[in-house]
């Protein structure tokens, strides 16, 4: 049972879900995140923390493996694939009729990007076409997020339209049979752990609790979107990413001092610092693929040559 309204749980040292202390009075909104991430029996059965919160050494190993085959690193691939997934979402949403269910939200793209990154922890970018995986991850994420009755045929048709914008990189169309077959492979590589906990819901709760202005909240939401281009989803619990995004959003606009509010949270300051630094490092090198076509062409040429 949930604690009563006079109970406040605070997070333990970066272990989302392990209760460090029980205080009074209230900020009971934090309870939801703790129950829904690594401390719950449901989450433990899914093996989320066991399989998908990885050590720094593993992330470095994957990055070194990618650098061996990609002349400009893997960020070019993840940026391009994120844009492809956004376009797939737009095309699929445009084809959707109002009576067919809820619209395809940004959370679907986020879930698909997490699938994509988890898959390529275990597999090489050179061995499995990232455009095919983008279609498969979107197809699976739509079903898992229960947004709309989308079939493999719908994804195939949407991808055919999006491919026209990436024809130089996206060498061929993929059939619905390939999408369905690769979905089984995705399930296998992800060990059927398809429920993804994202930072958006914790962010909404923190915004409400700290009385954050909407402009800052929107900036934090955009920062979380950008964090999908980094391996943060493989390193930290969602509430840590949400707090870091909120802190960074406030510092960018210099609109709000969160020091007192942050002092009431028992989260690891070093974790927050690392998340913020990784996002800042991303912004220092991030480029729009459309403005950097030579690097994009060289990267995908290296993948296709393998």
């Amino acid at each position: 049972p949930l604690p009563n309204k006079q109970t406040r749980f605070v997070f333990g040292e970066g272990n989302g879900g392990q209760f460090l202390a029980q205080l009074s009075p209230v900020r009971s909104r934090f309870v939801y995140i703790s129950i829904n991430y690594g401390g719950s029996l449901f989450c433990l059965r899914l093996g989320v923390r066991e399989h998908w919160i990885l050590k720094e050494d593993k992330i470095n190993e994957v990055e070194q493996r990618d650098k061996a085959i990609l002349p400009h690193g893997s960020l070019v691939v993840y940026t391009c694939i994120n844009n492809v997934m956004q376009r797939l979402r737009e095309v699929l949403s445009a084809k959707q009729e109002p009576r067919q269910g809820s619209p395809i939200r940004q959370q679907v793209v986020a879930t698909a990007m997490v699938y994509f990154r988890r898959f390529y922890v275990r597999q090489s970018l050179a061995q499995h076409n990232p455009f095919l995986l983008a279609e498969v991850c979107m197809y699976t994420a739509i079903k898992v997020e229960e947004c709309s009755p989308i079939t493999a045929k719908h994804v195939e048709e949407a991808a055919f339209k999006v491919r026209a914008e990436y024809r130089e990189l996206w060498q061929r169309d993929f059939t619905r049979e390939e999408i369905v077959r690769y979905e089984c492979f995705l399930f296998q590589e992800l060990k059927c752990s398809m429920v993804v906990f994202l930072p958006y819901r914790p962010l909404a709760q923190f915004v409400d609790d700290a009385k954050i202005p909407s402009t800052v909240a929107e900036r934090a939401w955009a920062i979380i979107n950008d964090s999908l281009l980094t391996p943060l989803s493989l390193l930290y619990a969602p509430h840590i990413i949400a707090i870091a995004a909120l802190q960074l959003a406030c510092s960018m606009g210099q609109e709000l001092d969160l020091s007192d509010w942050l002092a009431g949270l028992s989260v690891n300051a070093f974790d927050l610092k690392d998340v913020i630094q990784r996002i800042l490092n991303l912004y220092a090198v991030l480029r729009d693929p459309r403005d950097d076509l030579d690097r994009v062409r060289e990267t995908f040429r290296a993948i296709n040559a393998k």
Side-chain angles (χ1 to χ4, degrees), residues 279-297:
I279 294 173
L280 291 176
N281 291 344
L282 169 70
Y283 288 149
V285 298
L286 186 61
R287 304 179 186 180
D288 189 323
R290 292 168 296 185
D291 299 330
D292 197 18
L293 290 178
D294 290 338
R295 282 162 53 96
V296 174
R297 290 191 192 102

Side-chain angles (χ1 to χ4, degrees), residues 4-23:
N4 60 47
K5 291 187 177 180
Q6 295 305 310
T7 301
R8 173 189 168 197
F9 287 106
V10 293
F11 295 116
E13 293 290 313
N15 300 320
Q18 292 189 6
F19 298 136
L20 177 68
Q22 183 173 342
L23 304 176

